[in-house]
Amino acid sequence: MLDAGWVSCTLTICGFLLAFPLGIAVEFIRTRRSLIFRLSADAYVSVMRGVPILVILYLLYFALPEAGIALPSLLAGILGLALVYSAYLAEVFRAGFAAVPSGQREAAMASGLGPWQTFRLILLPQVIRKVLPPLLINLVSLLKDSSICALIAVPELTLTSRAIMSESFLPLHIFVVTACGYFMIAWPASLAVRSLERWLCRRAEGSETAQSSQDLPDTPA
C-alpha cells in the first residue's frame, strides 16, 4: 500500500507539473488576435472538459498502440490527467487574467515589450498570485481523479487495494484503509489551501490599507 501511495503521488505531481505549463500555453494562445488560434484553444478546452477522463485514458492506452505508439500505463495516466487538467487550469488562468487591469497590458506594449514578454513578465506573475488557491484546489482534485488510472493497470492505491481485496476477501477493511490513505494525502493539501487563502486576504487588506494611508492628504501642523 505504501508503494501504491507513492505511485498515486507520482501521478498527481507529474500530472500537475505537466498540466500547469500546458494550461498557461492554452491561455496564451487564446489571447492571440488570430481567430484560428482562439478557436483552436477554445475547442481544446471544450473537448477536454466535455470528455470523461476515462475515455481520454482509454484512447491513450488502448487506441494509440493501433497507431504504433505504445505508452506504459503510468506514462499514459500522467499524460491523460495532464491533458484534462490543463483545460481546467486554462479556465483558472482565464479568470485570473480577466482580473488584471487591461491598462497594464497596454502600458507594457507601449513600453516596447512584445506579446510574449508582456504575458510572461508583467501579467503572469500577477495572475499566479491571484489564482494560487484555485490551482491548489485543482491539485487536490487531480489526486482524487488519479484513482481512475486503476482502469488502465496503473498500480496506484485503488488498483492495489482491489488486488489485496481479491486475496484477503476483506473489502470493507481494505477500502477503509484506502480511503484513509487518500485522506491523509489530500487533507494536508486542503489545510495548506485554506492557510494560503487567509494569508493572501490579509496581505491584500494590508496593501489596501497602506494605499489608503498614502492617498490621504497631509494634515498641516
Side-chain angles (χ1 to χ4, degrees), residues 90-132:
E91 289 297 290
V92 172
F93 287 125
R94 182 183 63 81
F97 281 105
V100 176
S102 59
Q104 298 202 20
R105 183 192 299 271
E106 297 171 359
M109 298 292 289
S111 65
L113 294 178
W116 172 242
Q117 291 176 316
T118 301
F119 184 89
R120 179 172 57 90
L121 300 176
I122 305 300
L123 302 179
L124 189 59
Q126 301 180 65
V127 169
I128 290 179
R129 287 196 297 269
K130 292 177 181 295
V131 303
L132 196 54

Short mmCIF file of all heavy atoms in Angstrom, two decimals, residues 90-132:
data_model
loop_
_atom_site.label_atom_id
_atom_site.label_comp_id
_atom_site.label_asym_id
_atom_site.label_seq_id
_atom_site.Cartn_x
_atom_site.Cartn_y
_atom_site.Cartn_z
N ALA A 90 -6.49 26.18 -17.60
CA ALA A 90 -6.62 27.28 -18.55
C ALA A 90 -7.80 28.17 -18.19
O ALA A 90 -7.72 29.41 -18.31
CB ALA A 90 -6.79 26.73 -19.98
N GLU A 91 -8.90 27.58 -17.72
CA GLU A 91 -10.04 28.38 -17.29
C GLU A 91 -9.71 29.17 -16.02
O GLU A 91 -10.14 30.31 -15.86
CB GLU A 91 -11.24 27.47 -17.04
CG GLU A 91 -11.85 26.88 -18.30
CD GLU A 91 -12.39 27.97 -19.20
OE1 GLU A 91 -13.40 28.60 -18.85
OE2 GLU A 91 -11.78 28.20 -20.27
N VAL A 92 -8.93 28.57 -15.14
CA VAL A 92 -8.49 29.29 -13.94
C VAL A 92 -7.63 30.48 -14.33
O VAL A 92 -7.80 31.60 -13.82
CB VAL A 92 -7.73 28.35 -12.99
CG1 VAL A 92 -7.10 29.13 -11.84
CG2 VAL A 92 -8.65 27.27 -12.45
N PHE A 93 -6.70 30.27 -15.26
CA PHE A 93 -5.85 31.37 -15.72
C PHE A 93 -6.66 32.44 -16.45
O PHE A 93 -6.35 33.63 -16.36
CB PHE A 93 -4.74 30.83 -16.62
CG PHE A 93 -3.67 30.08 -15.90
CD1 PHE A 93 -3.34 28.78 -16.27
CD2 PHE A 93 -3.01 30.64 -14.83
CE1 PHE A 93 -2.35 28.08 -15.60
CE2 PHE A 93 -2.02 29.95 -14.15
CZ PHE A 93 -1.69 28.67 -14.54
N ARG A 94 -7.68 32.01 -17.18
CA ARG A 94 -8.52 32.99 -17.89
C ARG A 94 -9.18 33.94 -16.90
O ARG A 94 -9.21 35.16 -17.12
CB ARG A 94 -9.58 32.26 -18.72
CG ARG A 94 -10.48 33.19 -19.52
CD ARG A 94 -11.54 32.41 -20.25
NE ARG A 94 -12.43 31.73 -19.33
CZ ARG A 94 -13.46 32.31 -18.72
NH1 ARG A 94 -13.73 33.59 -18.96
NH2 ARG A 94 -14.23 31.62 -17.91
N ALA A 95 -9.70 33.40 -15.80
CA ALA A 95 -10.31 34.24 -14.77
C ALA A 95 -9.27 35.15 -14.14
O ALA A 95 -9.54 36.32 -13.83
CB ALA A 95 -10.98 33.37 -13.71
N GLY A 96 -8.05 34.62 -13.95
CA GLY A 96 -7.01 35.45 -13.36
C GLY A 96 -6.59 36.60 -14.26
O GLY A 96 -6.42 37.74 -13.79
N PHE A 97 -6.46 36.35 -15.56
CA PHE A 97 -6.10 37.41 -16.48
C PHE A 97 -7.21 38.44 -16.59
O PHE A 97 -6.94 39.63 -16.80
CB PHE A 97 -5.77 36.84 -17.85
CG PHE A 97 -4.40 36.25 -17.94
CD1 PHE A 97 -4.20 34.88 -17.96
CD2 PHE A 97 -3.28 37.07 -18.00
CE1 PHE A 97 -2.93 34.33 -18.04
CE2 PHE A 97 -2.00 36.54 -18.08
CZ PHE A 97 -1.83 35.16 -18.09
N ALA A 98 -8.45 38.00 -16.48
CA ALA A 98 -9.56 38.95 -16.53
C ALA A 98 -9.55 39.90 -15.34
O ALA A 98 -10.09 41.02 -15.42
CB ALA A 98 -10.90 38.20 -16.59
N ALA A 99 -8.95 39.46 -14.21
CA ALA A 99 -8.91 40.29 -13.01
C ALA A 99 -7.77 41.32 -13.05
O ALA A 99 -7.74 42.23 -12.22
CB ALA A 99 -8.75 39.41 -11.77
N VAL A 100 -6.84 41.17 -13.99
CA VAL A 100 -5.74 42.13 -14.11
C VAL A 100 -6.21 43.31 -14.96
O VAL A 100 -6.79 43.11 -16.04
CB VAL A 100 -4.51 41.47 -14.76
CG1 VAL A 100 -3.40 42.49 -14.97
CG2 VAL A 100 -4.02 40.32 -13.89
N PRO A 101 -6.01 44.55 -14.51
CA PRO A 101 -6.46 45.71 -15.30
C PRO A 101 -5.84 45.70 -16.70
O PRO A 101 -4.65 45.41 -16.87
CB PRO A 101 -5.95 46.91 -14.48
CG PRO A 101 -5.83 46.40 -13.08
CD PRO A 101 -5.43 44.95 -13.22
N SER A 102 -6.67 46.01 -17.68
CA SER A 102 -6.20 45.99 -19.06
C SER A 102 -5.14 47.06 -19.33
O SER A 102 -4.35 46.94 -20.27
CB SER A 102 -7.38 46.19 -20.02
OG SER A 102 -8.04 47.43 -19.75
N GLY A 103 -5.12 48.10 -18.51
CA GLY A 103 -4.13 49.15 -18.71
C GLY A 103 -2.70 48.67 -18.54
O GLY A 103 -1.77 49.24 -19.14
N GLN A 104 -2.50 47.61 -17.75
CA GLN A 104 -1.15 47.10 -17.57
C GLN A 104 -0.63 46.46 -18.85
O GLN A 104 0.54 46.62 -19.21
CB GLN A 104 -1.13 46.09 -16.42
CG GLN A 104 -1.52 46.70 -15.09
CD GLN A 104 -1.01 45.87 -13.93
OE1 GLN A 104 -0.09 45.08 -14.07
NE2 GLN A 104 -1.62 46.06 -12.77
N ARG A 105 -1.50 45.75 -19.55
CA ARG A 105 -1.09 45.17 -20.83
C ARG A 105 -0.76 46.28 -21.83
O ARG A 105 0.25 46.21 -22.55
CB ARG A 105 -2.20 44.28 -21.38
CG ARG A 105 -1.84 43.58 -22.68
CD ARG A 105 -3.10 42.96 -23.30
NE ARG A 105 -3.70 41.98 -22.43
CZ ARG A 105 -3.39 40.69 -22.44
NH1 ARG A 105 -2.47 40.24 -23.27
NH2 ARG A 105 -3.99 39.86 -21.63
N GLU A 106 -1.60 47.30 -21.87
CA GLU A 106 -1.38 48.39 -22.82
C GLU A 106 -0.11 49.16 -22.49
O GLU A 106 0.65 49.53 -23.38
CB GLU A 106 -2.59 49.32 -22.79
CG GLU A 106 -3.88 48.66 -23.25
CD GLU A 106 -5.09 49.53 -23.00
OE1 GLU A 106 -4.90 50.65 -22.45
OE2 GLU A 106 -6.21 49.11 -23.34
N ALA A 107 0.16 49.37 -21.19
CA ALA A 107 1.38 50.08 -20.81
C ALA A 107 2.62 49.26 -21.15
O ALA A 107 3.64 49.81 -21.59
CB ALA A 107 1.35 50.38 -19.31
N ALA A 108 2.56 47.94 -20.95
CA ALA A 108 3.70 47.09 -21.28
C ALA A 108 3.96 47.09 -22.79
O ALA A 108 5.12 47.15 -23.23
CB ALA A 108 3.44 45.67 -20.79
N MET A 109 2.90 47.01 -23.58
CA MET A 109 3.09 47.03 -25.03
C MET A 109 3.61 48.39 -25.49
O MET A 109 4.44 48.47 -26.40
CB MET A 109 1.75 46.72 -25.72
CG MET A 109 1.17 45.35 -25.39
SD MET A 109 2.13 43.98 -26.08
CE MET A 109 1.76 44.16 -27.81
N ALA A 110 3.16 49.48 -24.84
CA ALA A 110 3.63 50.81 -25.22
C ALA A 110 5.09 51.02 -24.86
O ALA A 110 5.79 51.82 -25.51
CB ALA A 110 2.77 51.87 -24.53
N SER A 111 5.57 50.31 -23.84
CA SER A 111 6.97 50.45 -23.44
C SER A 111 7.92 49.65 -24.33
O SER A 111 9.14 49.68 -24.12
CB SER A 111 7.15 50.02 -21.98
OG SER A 111 6.88 48.63 -21.83
N GLY A 112 7.40 48.90 -25.28
CA GLY A 112 8.24 48.17 -26.23
C GLY A 112 8.30 46.68 -26.00
O GLY A 112 9.01 45.99 -26.74
N LEU A 113 7.59 46.16 -25.03
CA LEU A 113 7.59 44.71 -24.79
C LEU A 113 6.72 44.01 -25.83
O LEU A 113 5.67 44.53 -26.21
CB LEU A 113 7.10 44.40 -23.39
CG LEU A 113 7.97 44.88 -22.22
CD1 LEU A 113 7.31 44.52 -20.89
CD2 LEU A 113 9.36 44.30 -22.29
N GLY A 114 7.14 42.83 -26.23
CA GLY A 114 6.36 42.04 -27.16
C GLY A 114 5.23 41.31 -26.45
O GLY A 114 5.12 41.33 -25.22
N PRO A 115 4.35 40.63 -27.21
CA PRO A 115 3.22 39.93 -26.59
C PRO A 115 3.67 38.86 -25.59
O PRO A 115 3.10 38.76 -24.49
CB PRO A 115 2.50 39.31 -27.79
CG PRO A 115 2.89 40.16 -28.96
CD PRO A 115 4.28 40.60 -28.68
N TRP A 116 4.68 38.05 -25.95
CA TRP A 116 5.12 37.00 -25.04
C TRP A 116 5.82 37.60 -23.81
O TRP A 116 5.63 37.11 -22.69
CB TRP A 116 6.04 36.05 -25.76
CG TRP A 116 6.69 35.04 -24.84
CD1 TRP A 116 8.03 34.90 -24.59
CD2 TRP A 116 6.04 34.06 -24.04
NE1 TRP A 116 8.26 33.89 -23.70
CE2 TRP A 116 7.05 33.35 -23.34
CE3 TRP A 116 4.71 33.69 -23.85
CZ2 TRP A 116 6.77 32.32 -22.46
CZ3 TRP A 116 4.42 32.65 -22.98
CH2 TRP A 116 5.44 31.97 -22.30
N GLN A 117 6.61 38.66 -23.98
CA GLN A 117 7.26 39.30 -22.85
C GLN A 117 6.23 39.94 -21.92
O GLN A 117 6.35 39.85 -20.69
CB GLN A 117 8.25 40.36 -23.34
CG GLN A 117 9.48 39.80 -24.04
CD GLN A 117 10.37 40.89 -24.57
OE1 GLN A 117 9.90 41.86 -25.16
NE2 GLN A 117 11.68 40.74 -24.37
N THR A 118 5.23 40.57 -22.49
CA THR A 118 4.17 41.15 -21.67
C THR A 118 3.43 40.08 -20.90
O THR A 118 3.15 40.23 -19.70
CB THR A 118 3.18 41.92 -22.56
OG1 THR A 118 3.88 42.96 -23.26
CG2 THR A 118 2.06 42.53 -21.74
N PHE A 119 3.14 38.98 -21.58
CA PHE A 119 2.43 37.87 -20.94
C PHE A 119 3.26 37.27 -19.81
O PHE A 119 2.77 37.03 -18.71
CB PHE A 119 2.11 36.81 -22.00
CG PHE A 119 1.30 35.65 -21.51
CD1 PHE A 119 -0.08 35.68 -21.54
CD2 PHE A 119 1.92 34.50 -21.01
CE1 PHE A 119 -0.84 34.61 -21.09
CE2 PHE A 119 1.18 33.43 -20.57
CZ PHE A 119 -0.20 33.49 -20.61
N ARG A 120 4.56 37.03 -20.06
CA ARG A 120 5.41 36.30 -19.11
C ARG A 120 5.92 37.18 -17.98
O ARG A 120 5.97 36.73 -16.82
CB ARG A 120 6.59 35.69 -19.87
CG ARG A 120 7.57 34.92 -19.00
CD ARG A 120 8.59 34.20 -19.86
NE ARG A 120 9.31 35.12 -20.72
CZ ARG A 120 10.46 35.74 -20.36
NH1 ARG A 120 10.97 35.51 -19.17
NH2 ARG A 120 11.06 36.54 -21.20
N LEU A 121 6.29 38.43 -18.28
CA LEU A 121 6.95 39.26 -17.28
C LEU A 121 5.99 40.16 -16.50
O LEU A 121 6.24 40.46 -15.33
CB LEU A 121 8.01 40.13 -17.97
CG LEU A 121 9.13 39.38 -18.70
CD1 LEU A 121 10.05 40.35 -19.41
CD2 LEU A 121 9.90 38.50 -17.74
N ILE A 122 4.91 40.59 -17.13
CA ILE A 122 4.03 41.57 -16.50
C ILE A 122 2.75 40.92 -15.98
O ILE A 122 2.38 41.09 -14.80
CB ILE A 122 3.67 42.71 -17.49
CG1 ILE A 122 4.95 43.34 -18.05
CG2 ILE A 122 2.79 43.74 -16.82
CD1 ILE A 122 5.85 43.97 -17.00
N LEU A 123 2.08 40.15 -16.83
CA LEU A 123 0.75 39.65 -16.47
C LEU A 123 0.80 38.36 -15.65
O LEU A 123 0.12 38.22 -14.64
CB LEU A 123 -0.08 39.43 -17.74
CG LEU A 123 -0.27 40.66 -18.63
CD1 LEU A 123 -1.08 40.29 -19.86
CD2 LEU A 123 -0.97 41.78 -17.86
N LEU A 124 1.62 37.40 -16.10
CA LEU A 124 1.62 36.08 -15.48
C LEU A 124 1.98 36.11 -13.99
O LEU A 124 1.32 35.41 -13.20
CB LEU A 124 2.55 35.15 -16.24
CG LEU A 124 2.51 33.67 -15.84
CD1 LEU A 124 1.10 33.11 -16.01
CD2 LEU A 124 3.50 32.86 -16.67
N PRO A 125 3.00 36.85 -13.54
CA PRO A 125 3.28 36.87 -12.09
C PRO A 125 2.10 37.36 -11.25
O PRO A 125 1.84 36.82 -10.17
CB PRO A 125 4.48 37.82 -11.97
CG PRO A 125 5.14 37.75 -13.31
CD PRO A 125 4.03 37.59 -14.29
N GLN A 126 1.36 38.35 -11.75
CA GLN A 126 0.19 38.83 -11.01
C GLN A 126 -0.93 37.79 -11.01
O GLN A 126 -1.60 37.59 -9.99
CB GLN A 126 -0.32 40.13 -11.64
CG GLN A 126 0.70 41.24 -11.67
CD GLN A 126 0.14 42.49 -12.30
OE1 GLN A 126 -0.78 43.12 -11.77
NE2 GLN A 126 0.68 42.88 -13.45
N VAL A 127 -1.10 37.13 -12.14
CA VAL A 127 -2.17 36.15 -12.26
C VAL A 127 -1.93 34.97 -11.32
O VAL A 127 -2.84 34.49 -10.65
CB VAL A 127 -2.31 35.67 -13.72
CG1 VAL A 127 -3.23 34.46 -13.81
CG2 VAL A 127 -2.82 36.80 -14.59
N ILE A 128 -0.69 34.49 -11.24
CA ILE A 128 -0.39 33.34 -10.40
C ILE A 128 -0.68 33.65 -8.95
O ILE A 128 -1.21 32.80 -8.20
CB ILE A 128 1.07 32.90 -10.61
CG1 ILE A 128 1.24 32.30 -12.01
CG2 ILE A 128 1.49 31.88 -9.54
CD1 ILE A 128 2.64 31.85 -12.33
N ARG A 129 -0.37 34.87 -8.50
CA ARG A 129 -0.69 35.24 -7.11
C ARG A 129 -2.19 35.25 -6.88
O ARG A 129 -2.65 34.87 -5.80
CB ARG A 129 -0.10 36.62 -6.80
CG ARG A 129 1.41 36.63 -6.65
CD ARG A 129 1.86 37.90 -5.96
NE ARG A 129 1.54 39.08 -6.75
CZ ARG A 129 2.36 39.62 -7.64
NH1 ARG A 129 3.55 39.07 -7.87
NH2 ARG A 129 2.01 40.69 -8.31
N LYS A 130 -2.96 35.64 -7.88
CA LYS A 130 -4.41 35.71 -7.72
C LYS A 130 -5.07 34.33 -7.72
O LYS A 130 -6.06 34.11 -7.02
CB LYS A 130 -5.03 36.58 -8.82
CG LYS A 130 -4.67 38.05 -8.74
CD LYS A 130 -5.27 38.82 -9.90
CE LYS A 130 -4.92 40.30 -9.85
NZ LYS A 130 -5.50 40.98 -8.68
N VAL A 131 -4.53 33.42 -8.53
CA VAL A 131 -5.21 32.13 -8.73
C VAL A 131 -4.51 30.99 -8.00
O VAL A 131 -4.83 29.82 -8.25
CB VAL A 131 -5.30 31.80 -10.24
CG1 VAL A 131 -6.01 32.90 -10.99
CG2 VAL A 131 -3.91 31.57 -10.84
N LEU A 132 -3.59 31.30 -7.10
CA LEU A 132 -2.86 30.23 -6.42
C LEU A 132 -3.78 29.30 -5.62
O LEU A 132 -3.64 28.07 -5.70
CB LEU A 132 -1.78 30.83 -5.52
CG LEU A 132 -0.70 29.88 -5.02
CD1 LEU A 132 -0.03 29.14 -6.18
CD2 LEU A 132 0.36 30.64 -4.22
#
